[in-house]
Amino acid sequence: MGTALGANLLLAAIILAINGASAHGTSLALDTTGRVAFLWFWAAYAGGALASLFGAAFLPLKKLGRELGLAFAAAFLVHLTLVSWLCWIGSAPPIGIFLFFGPVAALIFILALLSFGNLHRMLGPKLWWQLRTVGMNIILVAFLKDFMQDPLHGGVRHIVEYLPFTAMAIAAFLLRLAAWGLRLRETRFNLH
Ligand code: HEM
């Protein structure tokens, strides 16, 4: 968590130092730190599926799922700090962004909070699994909404900035779907 928070803080500080702490510089910092946070999220979201599909090489990712999720939440804290800065300098994003992304931001911290200590035991294993699964997919959809901005058009720079991230988000979902299919097949096979 410390590494993820520190790295995104440093990145934001460098971008603001180079481009200025105006709305333009802050938007650049938001875009960049949002992408770095997505990399932590991707590893937390797809790690388990990678281990199920491709074996032991990915087991460390699966075992570190909770830590990677917490690293994502820590990196995302920088995103919200930059949003607060935008509001403070009088360039608050449109209300629609708060209405759509605000609940998702709250969800990120609810999941992070519940993963500490025994808090999720109150929910029981089944409900905790359901909440995690639904929650992680909602967060993935939020990322997809950000990255699916016509990723194939708008010049080379736009494509480089959007297409790889759109592809990674879709791939993460497909990996989870494939791992789920594999588990289902194994369960059925074991029953016969
Ligand atoms: C209160 C909640 C949030 C606010 C107000 C907010 C605001 C913003 C703003 C103003 C930008 C810069 C857009 C620009 O370049 O002009 C941005 C970028 C971004 N945000 Fe958020 N955000 C919020 C939550 C989230 C959440 C929950 C996610 C993902 C789960 C997210 C992911 C991203 C990403 C990936 C970018 C880069 C988008 C791009 O490059 O076009 N944000 N956000």
Side-chain angles (χ1 to χ4, degrees):
M1 281 177 85
T3 308
L5 179 68
N8 245 3
L9 271 178
L10 185 68
L11 194 60
I14 292 172
I15 294 171
L16 294 181
I18 294 173
N19 298 283
S22 61
H24 170 68
T26 312
S27 282
L28 278 178
L30 272 164
D31 294 348
T32 313
T33 56
R35 280 168 174 73
V36 174
F38 172 71
L39 298 180
W40 292 107
F41 172 78
W42 198 93
Y45 181 94
L50 285 171
S52 306
L53 294 168
F54 304 114
F58 292 98
L59 262 185
L61 273 189
K62 183 178 178 167
K63 285 189 182 147
L64 285 173
R66 175 178 169 271
E67 284 72 15
L68 289 166
L70 287 173
F72 160 59
F76 185 72
L77 214 51
V78 177
H79 197 75
L80 292 191
T81 309
L82 289 166
V83 169
S84 310
W85 174 249
L86 262 190
C87 298
W88 179 256
I89 60 174
S91 302
I95 185 75
I97 297 207
F98 284 96
L99 290 178
F100 180 84
F101 288 100
V104 184
L107 181 66
I108 291 168
F109 293 109
I110 289 171
L111 287 178
L113 207 71
L114 281 171
S115 79
F116 276 109
N118 289 333
L119 276 178
H120 59 266
R121 297 240 166 89
M122 294 181 309
L123 301 172
K126 194 172 169 199
L127 195 58
W128 172 228
W129 179 85
Q130 286 169 342
L131 185 70
R132 262 184 6 241
T133 307
V134 174
M136 292 295 272
N137 281 295
I138 290 176
I139 298 168
L140 184 73
V141 169
F143 273 118
L144 255 179
K145 184 172 173 356
D146 259 323
F147 294 140
M148 288 276 266
Q149 296 184 27
D150 216 350
L152 288 173
H153 297 95
V156 176
R157 187 176 164 173
H158 185 82
I159 292 175
V160 169
E161 279 174 0
Y162 288 90
L163 187 60
F165 295 93
T166 306
M168 279 178 78
I170 295 172
F173 178 73
L174 293 177
L175 283 168
R176 269 221 179 178
L177 204 63
W180 175 74
L182 188 73
R183 261 200 312 278
L184 203 69
R185 214 183 62 173
E186 282 170 359
T187 319
R188 281 203 179 161
F189 186 72
N190 288 339
L191 284 177
H192 288 119

